[in-house]
Amino acid sequence: MKTIGLIGGMSWESTLTYYKLINEGVRKRLGGLHSAKCLLNSVDFEEIEHLQSTNQWGKAVGILGEAAQSLEKGGADFIILCTNTMHKIFDELTPLVSIPFIHISDATADTLNEKSIKNALLLGTKYTMTEDFIKHRLNSSGIDILIPNTSEIEEINRIIFEELCMGKIATESKKYLLEVIARFQQKNIQSVILGCTEIGLLINQSDCEIPVLDTTVVHSEKAVDFSLS
């Protein structure tokens, strides 16, 4: 079994989900008392969010780069970055270590292609929805990506940072997200991507008629695959 390095804390609520899913995945495959070999470097999200909102992504590279290097020195065989948004700096992080990273969009694209899904609604932070670091990678794998309108993007971003990252689960916010999804269903989208590792705390497959792809789940599954390969 390979040792998984996790860069977490963005937010810790979603990192907890990663840890749970990865260990459940290993136990399911190997049985008995098996659990995952993993190392976690959990950063202070207040610091990271400040760098996001003030466009200081270079400083974020320094912080997460140090986290990646500490995981490599600690014995990790590969790394997963437990957040969608910080994949914005993925290409700057990977050269800082000699062990591989597993990109969250690659795990997402593989799952969508396995299901023959060719278009999807992407929900996430405003960075994830409006910039290309996630969308372009999915497009390159043959997936057509749609995003909400400007006002919806702002409200979804608010829900993520002011509620979900603070551990708050609000019924009205769940209703809002489902209304956005329902509007896009009228445009015949085939799937919805929960492209923020916190959104899965609020909605899941049982809430929707179309396939729901939670990036936290598929990223965790890919980490288990790699660990046991």
Side-chain angles (χ1 to χ4, degrees):
M1 186 190 305
K2 298 183 182 71
T3 300
I4 306 168
L6 301 96
I7 302 178
M10 300 167 284
S11 65
W12 69 259
E13 281 88 357
S14 63
T15 304
L16 182 64
T17 303
Y18 267 95
Y19 185 75
K20 181 175 183 289
L21 290 173
I22 288 170
N23 279 287
E24 286 178 345
V26 169
R27 183 174 61 189
K28 181 178 179 180
R29 306 236 194 136
L30 299 183
L33 296 176
H34 283 288
S35 57
K37 291 183 178 179
C38 59
L39 299 172
L40 169 64
N41 188 309
S42 188
V43 301
D44 179 1
F45 192 35
E46 177 75 19
E47 184 176 11
I48 298 298
E49 193 283 325
H50 173 72
L51 297 177
Q52 291 176 349
S53 61
T54 55
N55 202 33
Q56 298 185 74
W57 297 94
K59 290 185 177 180
V61 172
I63 294 171
L64 298 190
E66 288 182 4
Q69 290 166 350
S70 75
L71 291 171
E72 182 176 27
K73 290 176 183 176
D77 294 300
F78 66 97
I79 294 173
I80 60 171
L81 187 57
C82 302
T83 163
N84 280 269
T85 298
M86 297 312 294
H87 277 74
K88 177 181 170 71
I89 59 173
F90 183 85
D91 290 338
E92 288 75 33
L93 288 176
T94 54
L96 301 179
V97 294
S98 60
I99 58 177
F101 275 76
I102 296 179
H103 199 293
I104 198 167
S105 291
D106 294 343
T108 302
D110 287 347
T111 303
L112 289 170
N113 283 321
E114 286 168 7
K115 297 177 180 294
S116 298
I117 291 171
K118 294 303 178 184
N119 65 69
L121 169 65
L122 176 63
L123 303 180
T125 66
K126 63 182 179 182
Y127 310 104
T128 297
M129 290 187 283
T130 61
E131 299 185 38
D132 287 335
F133 57 91
I134 295 291
K135 292 187 293 184
H136 177 71
R137 202 147 180 139
L138 293 172
N139 290 156
S140 297
S141 296
I143 312 298
D144 185 28
I145 297 299
L146 291 80
I147 62 170
N149 63 38
T150 301
S151 63
E152 290 168 340
I153 287 171
E154 290 299 323
E155 176 60 10
I156 293 168
N157 193 71
R158 185 199 67 77
I159 290 169
I160 291 169
F161 283 100
E162 296 183 15
E163 296 179 10
L164 298 178
C165 287
M166 302 294 288
K168 180 181 178 182
I169 307 299
T171 301
E172 284 302 310
S173 294
K174 177 174 182 173
K175 180 182 177 183
Y176 183 84
L177 288 176
L178 293 177
E179 287 173 350
V180 172
I181 294 169
R183 184 170 71 80
F184 276 85
Q185 278 187 257
Q186 296 174 3
K187 299 182 180 182
N188 297 318
I189 58 163
Q190 295 177 293
S191 179
V192 55
I193 300 170
L194 307 186
C196 170
T197 50
E198 280 81 24
I199 296 181
L201 301 171
L202 194 60
I203 59 176
N204 55 51
Q205 184 62 69
S206 65
D207 299 310
C208 301
E209 296 177 0
I210 58 174
V212 173
L213 194 145
D214 188 333
T215 54
T216 303
V217 174
V218 297
H219 204 199
S220 298
E221 289 174 346
K222 191 65 71 171
V224 173
D225 288 343
F226 202 86
S227 177
L228 299 181
S229 64

